[in-house]
Amino acid sequence: MKRLAPFMLGWLMLLFGNPASADLTIEITKGSDEAIPIAVVPFGGQQLPEDIAQIVSDDLAHSGQFDPLSRSTLIASPTTSDEVRYRDWRAVDSNYLVVGQASQTDQGYRIQFELMDIYGERRMLGEAVNVSANQLRSGAHYISDKVYEAITGIRGAFSTRIAYVTAQGAADSRRFALHVADADGHNSQQILSSREPIMSPAWSPDGDKLAYVSFESGNSAIYIQNLATSQRVQVTSFPGINGAPTWSPDGRKLAMSLSKDGQPEIYVMDIGSRSFQRLTRNDSIDTEPSWAPDGDSLVFTSDRSGGPQLYRYSLGSGESQRLTFTGNYNSRGRYSPDGETLFMIHRGNSGFSVAKQNLDNDRLTILTDSQWDESPSVAPNGSMVIFATQQGNNGVLGVVSADGNASYRLPSAEGDVREPAWSPFMN
Amino acid sequence: MAKQERRVGYGLPVVLAVGLHVGILLLSVLRWPASEPEQTSSAIVQATLVSTETATDQAQRAKEAQARAAESQAQQEKAQEQEQQQAEQQRRAEEQARERREAEQQALQETRQQAEQEAQRRAERAEQQAAEREAQAEAERQRQAEKARQQAEAEKQRQAEEARRQAEAEKQRQAEEARRQAEAEKQRQAEEARRQAEAEKQRQAEEARKQAEAEKQRQAEAAARRAAEAAERASEQALASSIAGEEQAIANAKQAAQAANGFKNLVKRAVEQAWNIPPGATNQMRAVVSLELLPTGELVNASISQSSGNASFDRSVLQAVERAAPFREMRELPAAAQRQFREFNLDFNPEDVR
Amino acid sequence: MKFKPYAKSLAVAVSLAVMAGCSSSGGTQDGSMDGTTAGGQGQGGVTTGQGVSGGQASGSQVGAGQRAGIPDVRTIYFDYDKDTIRPEFESVLNEHAEYLRNHSNAQVVLQGHADERGTREYNLGLGERRAQSVERYLSVQGVSSSQVDVVSYGEERPAVQGHSEQAYAKNRRVVIAY
């Protein structure tokens, strides 16, 4: 016994001692659902007619990924990185900090901004941008883009634009109009006004033109209008429905739905030669085509199975394949820019909502809890979706983040708003 | 056209025509009786009258009378002819009207027949189309059923896999538990054996002591034995104290293990709550952070020891650690446990990114 | 006979009088058109179709509403997600068919509509289906296809705003516009 005791002691020490080893690893497999807290401090220097920090703060909040601190909780007002005390910002639990200042120049203003990583205690980004006096909002959106990209690694979409249709007036004196505005709804311009309905605006890939449907000739017809020159061309005038125009990724073709054969079918028109290629051939309604980002296939809505579902048409094989099997109403499919997700309108228990389907595992997720949603359109960075919905009896536009975490309504004073379309990156 | 028939029939014209005929006949009949009374009046005046007429006058008058009669007859005949002609015309007109009506009706019937045929044809086509649609719907239903079946199959497999995994994990856990219990049991037994051995030794020591006292009279061997016993006793006491110290260490170590476990969970939870997984992160991304803490739980240093390859992801995990720190509960850890957490690693690998 | 030429025009005049009397009695069908008992608000403006059809057709046919002989009822309604003609509207369509057969110069546009639920372009297709259904019915009744045109407005021109079932029922319609 006496000889065994030292062995036992050593064995116990090995079991419980371990004084100098760093082998312990804890596994972290999930994170928080909350948005990233960020503080955007009002910019100093020259007083500006626009509140740059507020625009940046709103942009970041709308993306669904950031939770900007409210102004009342901002405990200090630095305008440059030298003035920043990291400890202050740790105390209010903010991960990031944006500071800046403006000065006047001959051409307008020079805005300087810096992005700070609070917990890393370092400056991440610093830049100065020159804008003319009436481009202040653009400057703010530029800052939002840079901040967003620096933190998330994804290109910001705050400098893009949207198109939408408004309807005003009583039933027998209704006026319809097509507008283009900043992605946050500001700076709207009317580009078409009519007593007849306007539908389905679609941006060309270069952002210069809009295709849309107008009933001004007494029947639906498709037009292409150049935004800079306001010149436009009517590209179809077939009997029956001429609807749902969308541009191919190379900008040379327009997919559409034409019912001149008796029922709506998907056609592709070559814009240069005005030649038409018919893609579908059956008795059902085939409409709402939209191109995949690689240009090799289109998603479209068809009720050939009894109710509207989404199908993919492969341009190579000429075959159509059904994509949606959840629920009995899925329509208006739109691809994410990476082609891996399909956004759509899905009728569920609480009505018609924006939903997305992961094309790898076919899992469907409903993104909104409103019930009269229509016309989803994806931001060019794939992070947000704009759509039309109802607020009481008014048509309004909503935006929801692609992960469903955040949503907001666009402000509108122009009557019923519907049919939004998100522009490509405007460079 | 049907209404006109009812309204305007043959009745009135026929009545009028007949009436006209009758009227003419009456008129022609009435003339003869009218001329008779004139002749009888000339007979009364016969006595005094000397006729100045010559035979030729008479003959002429007779001829004129004949001519007049013939004229009137001719007129009558003409009237009759006209009458007949008009009647004929009317009959022909009516005939034509009837024919026209019949032709119209026929035409209408024809168009209706055509429309019916057209409708039939369309109905047939619609039926065909409906049948096609039905067939396609059926095919789709079957495809759906097939797909549903495949999905159900896949689901079943997934569930089976899950169940197997869980069972495996459970087994491992139980094995671990059993091992730990076995170890604890072994330790307890070892302790028990040691305690028993100790008691035994003590008894033996007592025995030896008693023997030594009994042996006190033998001075030389007793003294040598006493010296040997004293030396033994000294070594035994040293062993006993070292064992007692060991027991203390074992108890401390157990306590430390429990405290370490608790602290580990605390760190894990705090870091998870502080971690904002960036958008675009996938389940494949993985980063390891190695960190140093002071005994107070404050973060001395955190750095990426294994990068995920994605700058956003790396930054987010560092931020998570920095936000979760300091871990003040470190101070309450027993020294043995504290030692483990002065330097350790955090392995970030999200499992369910949406 | 001197009656004949007058007799014909007299007969035509009398028959027109009889037909005018018959068509005005068709107006009483309005009240029984839709099964809902309480939906009184939209009814007056919509179901008689005289003033509203002009507005619905964007004001271009306002004057046409009162031509003598055109049946008064010019809107027929449909069930949700359906384009089949409901039996209670067959007599209305028969009247229109008869008028069109008798007046080969008359032209109609069948305007198809849908309620607001679902996506807009798909609803253009639904509206067109309903208008085509009416077109087929008229054609079976002998109306020439050159007299009939089809336009779909989908959900773009609702008769009644709102999210209730009653509003939806009033918007699922085909308007026969002369």
Side-chain angles (χ1 to χ4, degrees):
Chain A
M1 273 299 151
K2 292 176 196 175
R3 278 182 229 123
L4 280 172
F7 284 115
M8 291 201 186
L9 180 63
W11 181 61
L12 282 171
M13 290 190 72
L14 272 173
L15 203 60
F16 290 108
N18 263 352
S21 158
D23 276 345
L24 174 62
T25 299
I26 304 178
E27 305 213 332
I28 308 290
T29 56
K30 56 186 163 87
S32 155
D33 250 353
E34 288 167 9
I36 303 172
I38 185 170
V40 184
V41 179
F43 281 25
Q46 174 80 33
Q47 272 281 38
L48 298 171
E50 295 275 3
D51 186 342
I52 302 287
Q54 190 63 55
I55 298 172
V56 172
S57 188
D58 290 342
D59 279 349
L60 294 173
H62 290 161
S63 72
Q65 269 113 44
F66 290 91
D67 181 18
L69 269 62
S70 64
R71 268 209 188 158
S72 50
T73 62
L74 299 179
I75 55 172
S77 312
T79 59
T80 66
S81 49
D82 311 329
E83 301 167 12
V84 172
R85 284 170 15 128
Y86 291 103
R87 204 171 348 132
D88 291 346
W89 300 101
R90 288 176 75 116
V92 294
D93 203 23
S94 174
N95 282 25
Y96 296 97
L97 175 67
V98 177
V99 300
Q101 49 181 225
S103 54
Q104 198 154 26
T105 66
D106 299 331
Q107 292 89 18
Y109 299 99
R110 178 176 184 273
I111 307 175
Q112 173 188 305
F113 70 96
E114 292 170 284
L115 171 66
M116 248 71 64
D117 177 346
I118 298 299
Y119 286 97
E121 293 193 5
R122 60 187 185 95
R123 188 182 100 135
M124 284 175 66
L125 182 63
E127 222 181 289
V129 52
N130 287 305
V131 294
S132 64
N134 60 359
Q135 279 182 322
L136 277 171
R137 290 196 75 93
S138 301
H141 293 314
Y142 175 83
I143 295 172
S144 307
D145 282 338
K146 288 291 169 205
V147 168
Y148 186 89
E149 187 169 357
I151 296 175
T152 66
I154 298 174
R155 184 172 172 186
F158 303 109
S159 303
T160 53
R161 312 187 76 194
I162 56 173
Y164 57 91
V165 176
T166 59
Q168 280 176 301
D172 45 6
S173 61
R174 216 130 163 83
R175 290 208 70 93
F176 301 87
L178 179 61
H179 303 257
V180 165
D182 293 347
D184 63 356
H186 287 253
N187 288 338
S188 74
Q189 290 168 288
Q190 181 176 290
I191 72 163
L192 179 71
S193 171
S194 169
R195 301 198 75 99
E196 301 294 327
I198 302 170
M199 293 173 68
S200 305
W203 290 85
S204 62
D206 57 15
D208 288 346
K209 304 179 274 291
L210 277 180
Y212 55 86
V213 174
S214 167
F215 281 75
E216 59 198 85
S217 65
N219 187 25
S220 54
I222 297 176
Y223 299 78
I224 295 179
Q225 181 163 336
N226 184 302
L227 290 174
T229 67
S230 294
Q231 287 192 329
R232 69 170 187 172
V233 172
Q234 180 174 351
V235 293
T236 69
S237 54
F238 295 106
I241 295 172
N242 297 256
T246 56
W247 299 74
S248 62
D250 64 4
R252 291 203 279 202
K253 298 196 206 290
L254 214 54
M256 58 186 67
S257 178
L258 302 174
S259 73
K260 60 188 178 67
D261 313 300
Q263 63 284 326
E265 304 282 8
I266 306 295
Y267 276 79
V268 170
M269 177 187 90
D270 183 291
I271 298 177
S273 67
R274 297 295 168 86
S275 63
F276 288 84
Q277 181 195 358
R278 178 172 176 173
L279 302 189
T280 59
R281 198 172 289 270
N282 52 50
D283 276 346
S284 56
I285 295 175
D286 295 317
T287 182
E288 297 169 342
S290 179
W291 297 74
D294 62 4
D296 290 342
S297 63
L298 292 98
V299 61
F300 66 97
T301 307
S302 174
D303 62 3
R304 59 187 70 179
S305 73
Q309 299 286 350
L310 295 181
Y311 290 75
R312 173 187 9 240
Y313 179 92
S314 161
L315 287 165
S317 68
E319 300 279 310
S320 292
Q321 180 203 16
R322 181 169 162 177
L323 297 177
T324 53
F325 290 90
T326 312
N328 52 20
Y329 192 120
N330 293 292
S331 70
R332 201 32 168 91
R334 290 289 188 264
Y335 278 97
S336 61
D338 61 11
E340 294 180 10
T341 306
L342 204 53
F343 294 91
M344 64 188 78
I345 296 298
H346 165 87
R347 181 174 64 195
N349 292 332
S350 52
F352 294 86
S353 311
V354 179
K356 68 174 179 181
Q357 176 161 320
N358 181 315
L359 291 172
D360 266 341
N361 57 24
D362 281 353
R363 201 193 331 177
L364 186 94
T365 312
I366 298 180
L367 297 178
T368 62
D369 49 22
S370 33
Q371 33 173 320
W372 292 293
D373 296 347
E374 296 173 341
S375 314
S377 178
V378 192
N381 66 358
S383 68
M384 292 177 276
V385 177
I386 194 171
F387 59 99
T389 187
Q390 296 281 317
Q391 202 160 289
N393 268 347
N394 287 327
V396 294
L397 298 184
V399 176
V400 64
S401 57
D403 54 17
N405 274 345
S407 66
Y408 63 99
R409 302 269 187 264
L410 263 84
S412 162
E414 297 159 332
D416 251 18
V417 188
R418 72 273 293 261
E419 301 263 52
W422 211 312
S423 78
F425 285 116
M426 305 297 272
N427 293 335
Chain B
M1 287 298 152
K3 290 176 186 161
Q4 282 181 347
E5 247 184 272
R6 272 182 237 123
R7 284 267 155 180
V8 183
Y10 288 117
L12 191 59
V14 168
V15 164
L16 289 170
V18 168
L20 195 60
H21 279 86
V22 166
I24 289 176
L25 282 168
L26 279 173
L27 279 170
S28 56
V29 165
L30 279 167
R31 255 192 233 126
W32 294 110
S35 59
E36 293 265 354
E38 276 178 36
Q39 285 181 358
T40 48
S41 61
S42 62
I44 295 169
V45 190
Q46 220 173 22
T48 54
L49 192 72
V50 175
S51 92
T52 50
E53 290 170 355
T54 60
T56 51
D57 280 342
Q58 258 191 2
Q60 206 179 28
R61 212 180 297 137
K63 238 193 280 172
E64 284 175 359
Q66 267 184 16
R68 242 182 286 134
E71 216 181 278
S72 73
Q73 206 176 33
Q75 272 183 9
Q76 192 193 346
E77 278 172 9
K78 224 190 293 175
Q80 271 186 2
E81 253 182 59
Q82 269 183 11
E83 207 36 60
Q84 278 178 7
Q85 272 180 12
Q86 280 180 3
E88 193 59 46
Q89 271 177 14
Q90 197 186 18
R91 245 178 279 133
R92 244 181 280 138
E94 280 167 355
E95 197 64 49
Q96 281 176 5
R98 216 188 315 136
E99 278 171 21
R100 237 180 291 133
R101 245 175 275 134
E102 278 175 9
E104 271 177 29
Q105 272 183 359
Q106 261 189 20
L108 197 68
Q109 254 189 18
E110 274 176 33
T111 49
R112 267 205 216 112
Q113 271 179 8
Q114 276 179 12
E116 273 176 25
Q117 282 175 5
E118 185 65 40
Q120 259 184 24
R121 252 178 276 138
R122 256 179 252 219
E124 278 170 21
R125 216 188 319 148
E127 264 181 45
Q128 268 181 20
Q129 289 178 348
E132 275 179 33
R133 226 183 296 171
E134 186 61 50
Q136 284 181 354
E138 185 59 50
E140 194 54 53
R141 249 175 273 142
Q142 285 181 359
R143 249 175 279 151
Q144 221 178 347
E146 180 65 34
K147 177 132 187 153
R149 196 183 50 83
Q150 284 178 0
Q151 282 182 346
E153 196 66 50
E155 187 58 42
K156 236 194 292 173
Q157 285 181 3
R158 250 178 276 142
Q159 283 181 358
E161 189 61 45
E162 185 63 41
R164 242 176 286 144
R165 235 189 308 134
Q166 283 183 359
E168 193 62 47
E170 187 58 42
K171 239 195 292 174
Q172 284 182 2
R173 251 178 275 136
Q174 286 181 354
E176 184 67 40
E177 192 58 44
R179 209 176 353 115
R180 257 186 258 126
Q181 284 182 358
E183 279 175 20
E185 188 59 45
K186 252 189 276 176
Q187 287 165 20
R188 254 181 275 130
Q189 284 180 357
E191 280 171 32
E192 200 47 51
R194 253 178 264 119
R195 253 188 254 120
Q196 282 181 1
E198 198 191 284
E200 187 62 42
K201 269 182 238 139
Q202 284 183 352
R203 254 184 280 125
Q204 284 182 2
E206 269 300 315
E207 276 272 357
R209 252 182 262 124
K210 279 195 201 123
Q211 282 183 8
E213 280 177 13
E215 293 284 332
K216 231 190 271 183
Q217 287 149 20
R218 294 191 214 138
Q219 289 165 6
E221 298 116 341
R225 243 185 262 130
R226 250 185 259 125
E229 282 167 8
E232 242 185 72
R233 240 181 281 136
S235 75
E236 279 164 11
Q237 276 177 8
L239 191 62
S241 69
S242 79
I243 285 168
E246 221 171 87
E247 274 184 1
Q248 190 65 256
I250 290 164
N252 287 350
K254 251 208 292 192
Q255 207 186 22
Q258 280 176 1
N261 221 33
F263 185 76
K264 177 176 146 180
N265 286 337
L266 189 140
V267 167
K268 182 171 152 93
R269 246 179 289 128
V271 171
E272 278 174 1
Q273 274 175 15
W275 186 26
N276 291 110
I277 307 182
T282 66
N283 291 346
Q284 281 72 43
M285 288 189 189
R286 184 167 171 250
V288 179
V289 173
S290 65
L291 52 149
E292 284 176 44
L293 298 179
L294 293 175
T296 56
E298 281 167 42
L299 185 65
V300 172
N301 180 40
S303 60
I304 302 274
S305 61
Q306 183 181 324
S307 163
S308 65
N310 181 302
S312 272
F313 192 87
D314 285 353
R315 197 182 24 252
S316 75
V317 302
L318 280 177
Q319 276 184 349
V321 171
E322 285 156 355
R323 270 179 95 193
F327 304 100
R328 305 227 180 267
E329 290 78 358
M330 179 92 140
R331 289 176 292 199
E332 296 151 23
L333 280 182
Q338 237 191 45
R339 258 174 270 133
Q340 299 171 56
F341 290 101
R342 296 296 302 280
E343 274 180 43
F344 65 100
N345 299 326
L346 288 167
D347 184 339
F348 291 82
N349 180 212
E351 266 176 7
D352 191 19
V353 173
R354 255 212 278 184
Chain C
M1 292 295 195
K2 291 174 187 163
F3 273 104
K4 278 216 169 110
Y6 297 119
K8 262 196 175 166
S9 45
L10 184 69
V12 169
V14 170
S15 65
L16 274 177
V18 169
M19 270 168 41
C22 282
S23 65
S24 66
S25 72
T28 58
Q29 288 179 31
D30 292 358
S32 58
M33 186 141 314
D34 46 347
T36 57
T37 48
Q41 283 162 348
Q43 251 179 347
V46 178
T47 53
T48 54
Q50 286 175 0
V52 177
S53 70
Q56 286 174 344
S58 73
S60 58
Q61 283 106 331
V62 171
Q66 303 305 321
R67 268 211 311 265
I70 298 180
D72 283 344
V73 179
R74 296 185 211 160
T75 307
I76 69 170
Y77 297 91
F78 292 80
D79 289 337
Y80 182 50
D81 215 19
K82 293 266 185 296
D83 53 40
T84 44
I85 311 279
R86 288 177 5 203
E88 64 258 39
F89 294 111
E90 284 182 10
S91 54
V92 173
L93 292 183
N94 289 341
E95 282 178 25
H96 283 281
E98 179 170 4
Y99 179 85
L100 289 166
R101 281 200 308 270
N102 295 341
H103 299 81
S104 53
N105 290 329
Q107 298 265 330
V108 285
V109 175
L110 303 177
Q111 301 168 346
H113 300 264
D115 69 41
E116 64 163 3
R117 292 175 286 187
T119 50
R120 291 189 177 253
E121 291 278 358
Y122 180 74
N123 283 338
L124 275 187
L126 286 185
E128 185 182 67
R129 267 205 193 133
R130 287 178 179 139
Q132 284 174 337
S133 188
V134 174
E135 184 189 29
R136 272 195 299 276
Y137 188 96
L138 291 177
S139 157
V140 165
Q141 300 292 316
V143 176
S144 151
S145 59
S146 60
Q147 292 178 265
V148 178
D149 228 346
V150 163
V151 168
S152 172
Y153 287 97
E155 64 177 275
E156 306 301 307
R157 286 196 175 274
V160 176
Q161 301 273 3
H163 307 305
S164 61
E165 281 301 329
Q166 286 108 317
Y168 295 157
K170 288 262 180 265
N171 291 329
R172 297 191 293 268
R173 69 202 192 282
V174 168
V175 174
I176 304 165
Y178 283 81

